[in-house]
Amino acid sequence: MLKQSVRIFSRNLKSQSFSRGLQAPIPGKFGYKRPIAGLVLGAAIGGSLALSDWSIYNDQFSSTTPLQELQPPQYCQDEVEFSEAVEKLKAVLNNDTASFSVSKESLDSHSDTYFNSHHATPEQRPGIILYPHTTQDVSEILKICHEHAIPVVPFSGGTSLEGHFVPTRSKWTVVLDLSMNMNKILKLNDLDLDVEVQAGVPWEDLNDYLGEKGLLFGCDPGPGAQIGGCIANSCSGTNAYRYGTMKENVVNITAVLADGTVIKTKRRPRKSSAGYNLNGLLIGSEGTLAVVTEATIKCHVKPIKETVAVGSFPTVGDAAACTSRLIQEGIQLNAMELLDDNMMKVINRAGATYKTDWIEKPTLFFKIGGRNDNIISEVVGEVNRVAKMHGCHKFEFATNSDEKLELWEARKAALWSVINEGKAKDASMNVWTTDVAVPLSRFSEVIEATKEEMNTSGLGNAIVGHAGDGNFHALILYNNQQRSKATEIVDNMVKRAIAADGTCTGEHGVGIGKRTFLLEELGDGPVDLMRSLKLAMDPKRILNPDKVFKIDPNDHEE
Ligand SMILES: Cc1cc2nc3c(=O)[nH]c(=O)nc-3n(C[C@H](O)[C@H](O)[C@H](O)COP(=O)(O)OP(=O)(O)OC[C@H]3O[C@@H](n4cnc5c(N)ncnc54)[C@H](O)[C@@H]3O)c2cc1C
Ligand SMILES: *[C@@H]1O[C@H](CO)[C@@H](O)[C@H](O)[C@H]1NC(C)=O
Ligand SMILES: *[C@@H]1O[C@H](CO)[C@@H](O)[C@H](O)[C@H]1NC(C)=O
Ligand SMILES: *[C@@H]1O[C@H](CO)[C@@H](O)[C@H](O)[C@H]1NC(C)=O
């Protein structure tokens, strides 16, 4: 009874607000098409609702926003207006020529990279790159871009892999690069185990800084990535299995919304149930909801002792099954990385480590940590036992910390080593890096099937995996004639992962390259809800347009 009257009451409220909305410029706020069905239904119901009221009611108050209900976004495409806006943007940066750039080189490097899986067309270049100094600069810039409906692409280290920062709206786009002037570590709260940083800090610099204090940053994405991009892509890496992904490592965020509003998502508690999870909303939003300018990040205490163990297995499936089993048995490790036989061959040939005679078989690298040697040797014993069950007969241990570091760096450099080899054979060689994640019990079967398809494809390839999270990457080399073969492998890999109840991306994100897969993974409802959130926060759709999902019914790119 109570519920019923509440519902009627709120319905009345809505009807009041939409009739007020008629005088305000609410119709078409998001550029909705007025659905004919709404009009017909409105006419049939008649009563106190005017026809147009009903259609607004229908548009404005649906929970989700299907693409077909949108009008194309109306961006500034007027030369005079755009250049006037650009002058205003420069003035925000004191007309300082070091704080913006229009050189071909920087327009190119802010649009695409060699290792992107989804590339920009030659026309897809922004109008200008801005290097703001403060959150206030970013706010002023966004106010201007919002006023003139100018697309803004935030940019950090440029290491993302799915066309995340392609300026799809070409020369009418402004790129905001925080790396040059907003790259400071602001404050370490060592007793709280958190650190306040600006968004342009490279994660490796942060990690070096923390390392001197016996601490570490929990994520380790591509070399050169920065905190803003880490948050935007919800990155993780080899350490995520132990320390969590970016989603678990952010305490609070300072962000600038599309219209220039500055928000701080929280204070600095380790946990909080106060209100919506705005951190969760921004982490992984790929620059489409807000520009992150500062963040407070959790730090972890470095393991007092840690050793690296390496073991090889008959097949990738065996190696994968071993990692899943270790987790199912509750054996705590600091990292578990999987490298297939091809990857081991590349590492040997590249001479990237002190050793160049690694067994060229599917291999697991483990980080085993603890407070003392006894604890470590106990865990080593457990790992040995489980590994034997899966066909691994011998472990090698790094004998000193240099070796330990080298091993991990060889793993981090996997992509570069594969690229170098490919290019040495054929200068026109491209690389495609793709990533999926599946539930642990399906890891072995999905990775095995992918390996088999890659092995028979005739294309250069390697598999590396953050095995502790059921997450793996395929690196595929292809020349222009082989592009469709590579596409097929990636499609099948993603479909296989989704069919196993997994995800189209465990850590690289969606960008443009995986928009279709996101729909396949989740279906329309959740993606239409994301679109509603996007429109609520960025009604003019200026922030990193066309990423994660489509926002323009005229966007026919697959
Ligand atoms: C060799 C290599 C290895 C990699 N290994 C891993 C790995 O192990 N784990 C992993 O997770 N990833 C990995 N990656 C992918 C990549 O490093 C991560 O996705 C990383 O988080 C991207 O950060 P970035 O600073 O380079 O962001 P960019 O590429 O500059 O931007 C990424 C996205 O974030 C948005 N963005 C950037 N800055 C901001 C901001 N301040 N506010 C709002 N949005 C912003 C951009 O618009 C874009 O959509 C690897 C990449 C390479 C090249
Ligand atoms: C920037 O240059 C414009 C003219 O192009 C001028 O009007 C404005 O005052 C300058 N602003 C600053 C902060 O230097
Ligand atoms: C986090 O909250 C603290 C306390 O309110 C504040 O000092 C800090 O600036 C905030 N950091 C960010 C990045 O919002
Ligand atoms: C790869 O393919 C070859 C034959 O094409 C086969 O002999 C080999 O067993 C395959 N390896 C894997 C790991 O599937």
Side-chain angles (χ1 to χ4, degrees), residues 322-337:
C322 172
T323 61
S324 298
R325 178 66 188 240
L326 285 164
I327 298 167
Q328 287 151 356
E329 288 205 15
I331 298 166
Q332 276 286 330
L333 303 168
N334 288 353
M336 287 198 250
E337 291 293 305

Side-chain angles (χ1 to χ4, degrees), residues 341 448 451-452 455-456:
D341 49 340
E448 189 81 67
K451 173 75 188 171
E452 198 178 311
N455 183 39
T456 51

